[in-house]
Amino acid sequence: MDRKETAKLMENVMTELSEKEGFLGIEDDEKRKRIVLSAQEILTTTDKIIKSYIRVSTEHGIMRIPAYRVQHNNISGFYKGGIRFSEFVSEEEVENLAILMTLKNALHRLPFGGAKGGVHVDPRKYSEKELNLISKKYVQRFARDLGPNHDIPAPDLGTNEQVIDWMVGEFKTIHPGQAYLGSFTGKSVENGGARGRREATGKGTFLSYIWLLSQWYDEHVSGNGINRTKQWETISNLKQQADNSDPIRVAVQGFGNVGSVAALEAYQCSEIAHRVVAVSDRYTTLYNEKGLDVRALAAYTIGGKDLPKNSEELAAAGVEASVLPVDAVLTCETDVLILAAIENQIHERNMKQVNARVLVEGANAPISTEADDYFEAAGTVVIPDILANAGGVIVSYLEWKQSRITELYSEDDILAEMGTQMKETLKSVYERYFSSVGHTLRFTCFTLALERLTSLLYKHGKLY
Ligand code: NAD
């Protein structure tokens, strides 16, 4: 989903809210329409877009690299969102991701608004020293707009706890005496980071699917109150397959922070048996119909190494697999497809070749609106990004909180709290989606998020 598609979906939801009798306690139709339109104007425009250039001397000469921080909206709390290092970063992409952060935080009822940052670099092409310089210069450029009570970045695609530690160090130098630990989340544990932060998004992504298939399905097995018959049948069939001792097949696109952890969760799942038949990264798809040894692949790729690409590397990893083209992961024979790489992966041109019956967005915005609508009509379950990949920001919230109380939570506490918060949101979304007809699961998530944001704006007296 790109920026335009996100805005369009928001507009559609807002139109429906403006027509919803009694919404915000306003019975007068004209007044309600005016108030909701006023919220729509605020939420479909961005508070602040900052673009700058980072000047670094590299072995290829002096470069001026575009860098961004976009603060979309802070009605529900301080701006919050990751910083990515990627050769695909653009202003439009960063703005789209900032909007999705506002919606995600509202959906999960976190006390944060939405922001995002990006630097237009392929981090793999830079030395550690150069990346350190880029990270520090990013903070120098944007320091005035960041801070524990204003805008709190975190890692994202192409960045990690090392990058965040460098950024915190620079923030501390620029703002001596400030409570610097709360200025970034995703730090290393030694530097005040939350235990379990790196795994949180992947674990939460898998939870959004497995909880639907196990607990939620079991609680509603009678089918009472279920109006979404095709999707319900999809889940019932998967459940049946697992009950017949035929492990559910899973494919995972992207084998980084999010994808490798989600794949491990599927591989190790004790509740319902799964076999991970395919995983991919930017160069390769590895496929094995009988199931891949995900633990061996996770060990092989530790420290950001690519997946094995040929028979020698597969032998070194101790993994049996066929090496397929990079996009094969999207269309292979599988029951579940977890998207954990980048945006715009499934669209009009390839949606009909997708075999999976459940799609889970660990990545942000990998499925276009057109594909979403197609899957909805076909009975495929699409668990959208703002629902599925919130584990990271929930744990980020706990990290930010622990920096305030200067006490470290245990990993068990963090993951238990993350699970509790995720399940609360999953319950509210699945209840509303399966009891209704018509809209996609993404529409349902946008509705719940926009209801909350509009209500906050109204309560704060910002809508006329
Ligand atoms: P990462 O850099 O650790 O891993 C990205 C993976 O995707 C790598 O395996 C890379 O090789 C692969 N990849 C890149 N381009 C690809 C392509 N064209 N085709 C197939 N694979 C490709 O990043 P990450 O932190 O795991 O983030 C992945 C996605 O999840 C991003 O969309 C990010 O915005 C989203 N996300 C991440 C977090 C988090 O906490 N890290 C939180 C929420 C959402």
Side-chain angles (χ1 to χ4, degrees):
M1 260 176 84
D2 61 21
R3 164 86 181 80
K4 279 199 196 96
E5 289 178 309
T6 303
K8 185 75 197 139
L9 189 56
M10 286 170 88
E11 275 170 34
N12 292 344
V13 169
M14 294 306 268
T15 303
E16 210 171 278
L17 289 184
S18 73
E19 287 160 4
K20 187 173 163 186
E21 261 179 49
F23 178 54
L24 301 174
I26 307 173
E27 297 303 336
D28 177 342
D29 288 351
E30 282 314 305
K31 181 176 174 198
R32 194 177 53 249
K33 278 187 186 158
R34 198 179 63 243
I35 292 285
V36 173
L37 185 63
S38 173
Q40 182 179 323
E41 276 162 10
I42 294 173
L43 295 169
T44 53
T45 46
T46 293
D47 286 354
K48 195 167 183 179
I49 297 176
I50 320 160
K51 177 176 182 182
S52 188
Y53 288 87
I54 291 175
R55 188 164 174 270
V56 275
S57 172
T58 71
E59 61 182 51
H60 312 293
I62 292 182
M63 326 257 300
R64 279 176 72 76
I65 305 167
Y68 306 87
R69 187 71 189 166
V70 175
Q71 295 168 338
H72 170 248
N73 188 276
N74 65 352
I75 188 66
S76 54
F78 304 133
Y79 296 110
K80 179 104 193 75
I83 299 173
R84 61 171 51 182
F85 286 0
S86 152
E87 65 276 37
F88 301 114
V89 159
S90 68
E91 183 178 319
E92 193 180 319
E93 181 201 71
V94 181
E95 190 182 8
N96 188 34
L97 295 169
I99 299 169
L100 292 177
M101 280 309 294
T102 304
L103 296 171
K104 190 190 301 179
N105 289 331
L107 177 66
H108 292 269
R109 306 186 78 77
L110 293 168
F112 292 128
K116 200 81 183 184
V119 183
H120 185 94
V121 282
D122 178 353
R124 308 159 62 85
K125 298 205 172 125
Y126 289 80
S127 67
E128 191 177 331
K129 200 169 154 211
E130 289 162 353
L131 288 174
N132 172 287
L133 203 59
I134 292 169
S135 306
K136 290 202 283 204
K137 291 231 171 175
Y138 184 92
V139 179
Q140 289 165 20
R141 283 281 181 269
F142 298 100
R144 239 184 272 180
D145 286 285
L146 304 177
N149 295 331
H150 182 57
D151 183 353
I152 307 139
D156 191 65
L157 191 78
T159 51
N160 51 27
E161 61 182 37
Q162 172 65 86
V163 168
I164 297 296
D165 281 352
W166 289 332
M167 290 188 168
V168 171
E170 192 60 15
F171 186 88
K172 190 177 176 212
T173 306
I174 297 171
H175 298 292
Q178 266 207 30
Y180 63 92
L181 280 180
S183 58
F184 288 79
T185 59
K187 304 178 288 290
S188 64
V189 172
E190 300 76 30
N191 194 22
R195 297 182 174 98
R197 168 64 183 85
R198 195 190 75 79
E199 295 82 12
T201 306
K203 281 183 186 272
T205 297
F206 189 71
L207 180 69
S208 69
Y209 144 77
I210 197 69
W211 191 79
L212 172 64
L213 198 63
S214 51
Q215 195 164 336
W216 201 86
Y217 178 83
D218 290 349
E219 280 170 16
H220 297 78
V221 71
S222 67
N224 283 344
I226 301 292
N227 290 321
R228 200 67 66 138
T229 40
K230 282 190 188 171
Q231 272 74 9
W232 181 250
E233 214 176 284
T234 299
I235 300 171
S236 305
N237 289 344
L238 270 189
K239 198 71 203 239
Q240 197 71 54
Q241 176 181 331
D243 289 348
N244 291 340
S245 308
D246 182 6
I248 295 171
R249 297 166 301 173
V250 179
V252 183
Q253 187 198 35
F255 205 72
N257 287 326
V258 181
S260 65
V261 174
L264 265 176
E265 289 288 292
Y267 180 77
Q268 294 166 349
C269 184
S270 55
E271 256 172 301
I272 296 177
H274 289 77
R275 66 197 140 110
V276 179
V277 292
V279 299
S280 77
D281 65 7
R282 67 178 66 216
Y283 301 116
T284 333
T285 292
L286 297 180
Y287 183 78
N288 184 341
E289 207 230 310
K290 295 194 190 113
L292 293 160
D293 185 343
V294 179
R295 205 171 288 158
L297 288 170
Y300 183 83
T301 53
I302 225 152
K305 214 170 140 194
D306 298 324
L307 287 167
K309 285 186 280 301
N310 51 43
S311 44
E312 291 82 55
E313 290 180 4
L314 280 167
V319 171
E320 278 180 34
S322 320
V323 178
L324 302 181
V326 64
D327 283 345
V329 71
L330 301 175
T331 53
C332 68
E333 287 295 335
T334 184
D335 303 304
V336 178
L337 173 60
I338 299 176
L339 298 155
I342 54 172
E343 290 82 4
N344 299 323
Q345 293 303 292
I346 299 184
H347 35 69
E348 194 193 357
R349 295 183 302 285
N350 64 1
M351 62 193 186
K352 293 192 178 142
Q353 279 85 56
V354 172
N355 290 301
R357 303 289 286 148
V358 177
L359 304 182
V360 192
E361 292 186 329
N364 288 308
I367 299 178
S368 75
T369 305
E370 200 154 20
D372 215 11
D373 292 341
Y374 167 79
F375 291 130
E376 180 64 34
T380 302
V381 177
V382 177
I383 306 179
D385 46 13
I386 63 167
L387 181 61
N389 71 24
V393 69
I394 294 173
V395 172
S396 274
Y397 164 60
L398 298 172
E399 179 176 340
W400 177 78
K401 205 161 126 182
Q402 78 181 5
S403 79
R404 304 209 141 202
I405 57 171
T406 53
E407 192 182 306
L408 289 184
Y409 297 120
S410 72
E411 183 165 347
D412 286 351
D413 285 346
I414 293 231
L415 292 175
E417 183 60 26
M418 188 269 277
T420 305
Q421 291 203 26
M422 282 274 310
K423 284 176 199 169
E424 209 173 292
T425 313
L426 294 170
K427 187 170 186 319
S428 63
V429 171
Y430 293 145
E431 295 284 358
R432 187 160 315 179
Y433 172 75
F434 280 101
S435 62
S436 64
V437 282
H439 295 310
T440 60
L441 201 39
R442 193 184 313 278
F443 193 101
T444 307
C445 291
F446 270 48
T447 304
L448 287 165
L450 288 167
E451 277 176 1
R452 173 151 197 260
L453 292 165
T454 306
S455 160
L456 283 175
L457 284 166
Y458 188 53
K459 282 182 198 296
H460 289 205
K462 297 200 186 294
L463 306 178
Y464 319 103

